Amino acid sequence: MKARRNKKQIPSFRKLLKTSKVKLENKLKNKQFKQQSTLKKYRKEQRKLRQAVKDAVSKKPIPLEDPREKQPGKRIEREEEEEEEALPLDMMDEDDLQLMRDLGQTASFLTRDLSSSEPVHVKKRKHERIIEKYEKIPRTLQTAPEKELIHLLPIKDKSGIIPQTREKPVTDNNQDEEDEEDLELEEEIIEDPIRELTLEEHLIERRKKLQEKKMHIAALASAILSDPESNIKKLKELRSMLMEQDPDVAVTVRKLVIVSLMELFKDITPSYKIRPLTEAEKSTKIRKETQKLREFEEGLVSQYKFYLENLEQMIKDWKQRKLKKSNVVSLKAYKGLAEVAVKSLCELLVALSHFNFHNNIIVLIVPLMNDVSKSISEMCCEAVKKLFKQDKLGQASLGVIKVISGFVKGRNYEVRPEMLKTFLCLRIKEVEVKKDTEDINKPKKFMTFKEKRKTLSRMQRKWKKAEEKLERELLEAEASESTEKKLKLHTETLNIVFVTYFRILKKAQRSPLLPAVLEGLAKFAHLINVEFFDDLLVVLHTLIESGDLSYQESLHCVQTAFHILSGQGDVLNIDPMKFYTHLYKTLFKLHAGATNEGVEIVLQCLDVMLTKRRKQVSQQRALAFIKRLCTLALHVLPNASIGILATNRILMHTFPKTDLLLDNESQGSGVFLPELDEPEYCNAQNTALWELHALRRHYHPIVQRFAAHLIAGAPSEGSEALKPELSRRSATELFETYSMAAMTFNPPVQSSSSKRKDEVLQGDAFLNEDLNQLIKRHCSEVATHLPLDFSRYSTTSLQSRWHASPLEPLQ
């Protein structure tokens, strides 16, 4: 018979390759785990054996009888008493009692002295006496004193009353001596404290610690930047330094770590939002590269979340003035840490608007825009403005607007006006442009199958199908967002903005938010629905007539009304004469000092009311405004005068017949009434712009130039024409350019040219020649000491004066 072949063969190399790497790793882990468990068991057994040997060596042999009891009779009596207490003796025979006593005298293996060499089972001798047995017991010296017993209350049991005793503690003189020595040593240690560092040494030590921490932070940050996917765990190490416990450098190190982490997250964060994995995605097998990327993304998101939580906790601690148990950071340092945390949050709000937890940052930043601290409030408002300016799509802006609107409503409209002024930075102008482009360039609609079958042949349908496929791929490859999505986001944002504005107009008309609301309505008026125009103009006029508004707020009302009428409001049949009258009346109420903020609003209103609506403005109205503006230019600062004169120049070009104000002849009947507040009926045609002659002698050179230009009739060519840098700028730009807010003269005053040394005149050259001779003669005369009699000279001068003019009274 043939030998039976072994079916189990050695696996081939190809079969080994097919084996899962995970399976091999599991086998290796199981093998290592078994080895570790056997090692643990072996160590445990060895530890038990060592402990047993140690216990056996340390245990002292206990003799059967107490050698200190000298009288055996007493000992026997005590044993009998104990036995009587322990056993019911009346139930035992005398033989049994004798047997128990004999057994008690023999030593067992428990009480046997291990040091003796006697075997355990010794053959009993017949004639063994008590004295010989007593002599064989090892003797001990009475070194320890006898312990006194303290009798306690007995315990009653079923068997009877059991007495209770306790040993009285014996004071050991040696122990007392040792305690005294320890106290002396402690006193000696207290007497020699650690040497305190001087201020200079302390600063040097702090600088050294700080330098070490800085190097450590820099090393971690550079390692993360060099390879973020491999060194993502070092983010946790760096973030743990936010809890620095060294009081010398705790505050500085925490600030450095906050800023370093903020810059790291800005650099290593991807340009997309990381979403959590589904269960199906977690269970599927993936490549190593994909698994590494997933681990990096999970670690990045978790560390970013913990970092934001740390920043939030720092701000809460500062707000609540809550002192930590560790007491490392003082209450005064909380504000500095909170400011750095807020600054980091503002940077992340702007830089990582596309990344995770952006809505959480918005919820943190928006309440801080209304903070009591002005620096933190301005920082947050500037960050929100920056976000609005750079947000092209509008997703982040919509999130911020929602939170701000809810916050303003929740605070009952008692917030800083700066919060609403951030709305002016929204990029909502694109909505109007996109609407026009959609009307002109409508999206291409692909043909249906039925339309193709009716109009095209088979070959044409095939070509058409290929073209449409290519166009779809090109549309998908475009990086820009669709216009529909942008339009939808902008519309929703604008709706929330207008809801906030209208609520304040309706419920908080005396709120300090009103100027910001009116300014915002003026900017976005062209996007308001036409249905609201009539009601909005009525509200604005009511506000102006109420008299509760300041001149600046009323100017905002006028500006808003004309922005509404200049856009879609052209189709409405509304006469805005009352707004013209109000502006004409308000011009003389402007602040003429350094806070001439109202001048800029006036210049904008004049541009919208007169220049852009030139067809609806009469000549009488234009003449009245030009005359009043020239009068106003005499009272305001130079930059405001330049802006007003530039507006007059534009009006004289827009309305050519107004040049009659440069002539002093009267036109028509009537007398000019400058105090009348109605521009149509003040008879401005019967006056002249005499103010320009006064402005021509103004100390500011640009004002002089504009005044001379207007006197000449504002020509575009010739010697009296303006230079291009003045003629091509608008009135608002000139007002800002020549502003004196920096406390410097603009344009700067030219320094006088220095004269040569040979032309410098001496002090005598400035005096008259006769005066010089008189001075020299008096200086050369010898001084004589004579009594000074001023009365003689005064009487002679009075007499001569009386004879000269007797009719003039004495003064």
Side-chain angles (χ1 to χ4, degrees), residues 29 35 119 145 157 163 183 203 247 249 291 418 427 432 450 458 468 553 593 654 673 714 764:
K29 286 179 183 177
Q35 290 175 356
D157 199 2
L183 287 171
L203 289 173
V249 295
Q291 182 64 27
E418 287 78 8
R427 299 181 63 172
E432 188 179 10
K450 290 182 179 180
R458 187 175 180 183
E468 289 178 357
E553 292 172 355
T654 307
L673 303 172
D764 299 342

Side-chain angles (χ1 to χ4, degrees), residues 305-320 338 341-342 345 360-361 363-364 368:
K305 179 186 175 185
F306 292 140
Y307 173 64
L308 293 178
E309 288 175 354
N310 290 334
L311 297 184
E312 182 183 8
Q313 191 60 44
M314 286 179 188
I315 297 168
K316 281 183 179 178
D317 292 342
W318 170 59
K319 287 288 184 187
Q320 299 170 0
V342 171
L345 284 171
N360 302 74
I361 299 174
V363 172
L364 284 174
L368 294 173

Side-chain angles (χ1 to χ4, degrees), residues 239 242-243 254-263 265 303-319 334 336-349 360-361 364-365 368:
R239 192 178 56 80
L242 286 172
M243 301 295 121
R254 290 184 185 187
K255 288 180 181 179
L256 291 172
V257 174
I258 289 170
V259 177
S260 302
L261 283 169
M262 180 261 293
E263 295 293 340
F265 282 121
Q303 292 303 320
Y304 187 57
K305 179 186 175 185
F306 292 140
Y307 173 64
L308 293 178
E309 288 175 354
N310 290 334
L311 297 184
E312 182 183 8
Q313 191 60 44
M314 286 179 188
I315 297 168
K316 281 183 179 178
D317 292 342
W318 170 59
K319 287 288 184 187
Y334 275 3
L337 279 173
E339 284 181 352
V340 178
V342 171
K343 188 175 182 181
S344 300
L345 284 171
C346 291
E347 291 282 338
L348 295 173
L349 176 77
N360 302 74
I361 299 174
L364 284 174
I365 289 291
L368 294 173

